[in-house]
Amino acid sequence: MTDEPSSSTEIRHAPLAGVIGLPIAHSRSPRLHGHWLKRYGIEGSYLAMPVRPEHLADVLRVLPRAGFVGLNVTIPHKEAVLTLADVVTDRAALIGAANTLIFRPDGKIHADNTDGYGFIANLRQNAPDWDPQAGPAAVIGAGGAARAVVASLLDSGVRELRITNRTRIRSEQIKAEFGARLVVYDWAQAGNMLEGAATVVNATSLGMTGKQALRVPLDALSSDALVTDLVYTPLMTPLLIEARQRGCRVVDGLGMLLHQAAPGFERWFGQRPEVDEETRQVLLE
Ligand code: ATR
């Protein structure tokens, strides 16, 4: 006789979660989830793990057997995990990428995308009077992050969504997938796209510390518009500074990072975490 538990014996352990990507060292997610675990007195851990693309399938097979209840997923795995998941939410399928995995007790992997949710929750929290139906939305950029923004804005009831991107074909692809409410503008016409827009979003990486500035003329921008940027380093990007000078309401991008993390934390650790000023400060330290 041995003391080893048989495969049917339940093993009790503190739940493990984490984020996989490459590179991953600079991820702020461990700090965020670590803060929430401590705040709510939950016994559990959240780790950053570098995973190579060729090891992704093995890692997803093994981690649930080592006590993991789920993962966040970042570049370059956000698209590939969809092909490895057993259940994919509608919004993840629509966006074509997942950022949150849940390892279910029945062994199935559930993939979701909470980026669009995080984007909208950030606007609702920091600009409570924002009305998605007040006028057209203008999205600058057509990469993975832009797809989540487009999906969530349409879902929120935006009636006209204008989009522009340096590489026009990517905006055309988004229009082909997301439909008639989208209007594609040429990159050279980005300034004109802002005319009459009620919501303006930078979903490119331009304006990020170390990258070029976003050079879209804001002359046509109305002071009634709400302007937000997915870039959060720096918090106040040149776009947000100029928009604020023009009298617009502005919302920085850090809140999207905080809010997109909340649904995963709740599913893994059983507690809906609050996104408040204290949480924000943890990421700014
Ligand atoms: P993410 O998942 O963060 O959206 P991505 O899919 O690589 O990353 O998209 C980056 C976005 O920033 C794209 O809209 C990209 O434009 P292209 O599709 O033309 O590449 C935009 N972007 C990055 N660098 C840019 C630059 N120097 N000028 C204009 N747009 C840029």
Side-chain angles (χ1 to χ4, degrees):
M1 289 289 282
T2 71
D3 292 338
E4 278 181 32
S6 73
S7 60
S8 61
T9 308
E10 199 185 335
I11 305 169
R12 298 207 172 274
H13 56 82
L16 301 171
V19 57
I20 56 168
L22 201 71
I24 201 64
H26 297 293
S27 171
R28 300 188 191 200
S29 295
R31 210 192 293 180
L32 174 59
H33 288 275
H35 164 74
W36 281 332
L37 286 168
K38 203 165 135 208
R39 180 193 266 195
Y40 298 108
I42 296 169
E43 241 191 287
S45 300
Y46 185 101
L47 312 165
M49 293 169 283
V51 173
R52 290 182 193 283
E54 62 269 32
H55 296 151
L56 180 64
D58 285 344
V59 166
L60 294 188
R61 202 167 35 242
V62 167
L63 287 186
R65 299 176 187 164
F68 276 77
V69 290
L71 292 175
N72 283 129
V73 180
T74 188
I75 294 164
H77 305 310
K78 291 177 90 164
E79 290 84 18
V81 290
L82 290 187
T83 63
L84 298 165
D86 302 291
V87 184
V88 175
T89 62
D90 288 348
R91 58 189 181 180
L94 191 64
I95 294 164
N99 69 339
T100 305
L101 301 180
I102 293 141
F103 299 147
R104 298 191 336 198
D106 64 2
K108 298 240 187 296
I109 299 177
H110 178 274
D112 192 10
N113 191 313
T114 64
D115 286 333
Y117 160 79
F119 172 74
I120 297 291
N122 184 34
L123 294 189
R124 299 253 184 242
Q125 183 174 41
N126 293 296
D129 58 348
W130 173 66
D131 175 7
Q133 301 194 340
V139 176
I140 304 163
R147 295 175 72 88
V149 166
V150 166
S152 64
L153 283 172
L154 293 175
D155 199 42
S156 301
V158 163
R159 295 197 188 97
E160 178 187 331
L161 195 153
R162 304 168 178 174
I163 185 163
T164 190
N165 194 52
R166 173 181 62 177
T167 312
R168 186 180 164 110
I169 186 81
R170 293 184 92 186
S171 342
E172 305 274 10
Q173 276 160 359
I174 291 185
K175 177 174 168 59
E177 285 172 53
F178 287 86
R181 280 186 277 166
L182 270 79
V183 184
V184 173
Y185 281 69
D186 210 65
W187 185 240
Q189 299 298 312
N192 297 347
M193 178 178 83
L194 305 185
E195 190 165 348
T199 311
V200 175
V201 187
N202 175 36
T204 71
S205 48
L206 294 172
M208 196 182 283
T209 308
K211 298 231 168 159
Q212 289 171 26
L214 175 69
R215 290 199 186 83
V216 173
L218 301 189
D219 307 288
L221 184 65
S222 156
S223 60
D224 293 334
L226 174 108
V227 180
T228 186
D229 203 322
L230 266 47
V231 170
Y232 56 84
T233 48
L235 271 185
M236 283 302 287
T237 60
L239 169 70
L240 295 184
I241 291 170
E242 193 180 337
R244 195 163 63 181
Q245 282 163 356
R246 288 175 174 274
C248 298
R249 286 166 298 161
V250 303
V251 176
D252 71 55
L254 186 62
M256 176 173 170
L257 176 71
L258 303 174
H259 283 284
Q260 63 79 29
F265 187 92
E266 182 177 16
R267 291 293 295 268
W268 305 324
F269 300 117
Q271 163 81 47
R272 182 73 174 188
E274 204 180 325
V275 174
D276 54 12
E277 191 49 37
E278 189 189 320
T279 318
R280 232 178 111 81
Q281 286 307 320
V282 166
L283 286 206
L284 292 175
E285 277 163 15

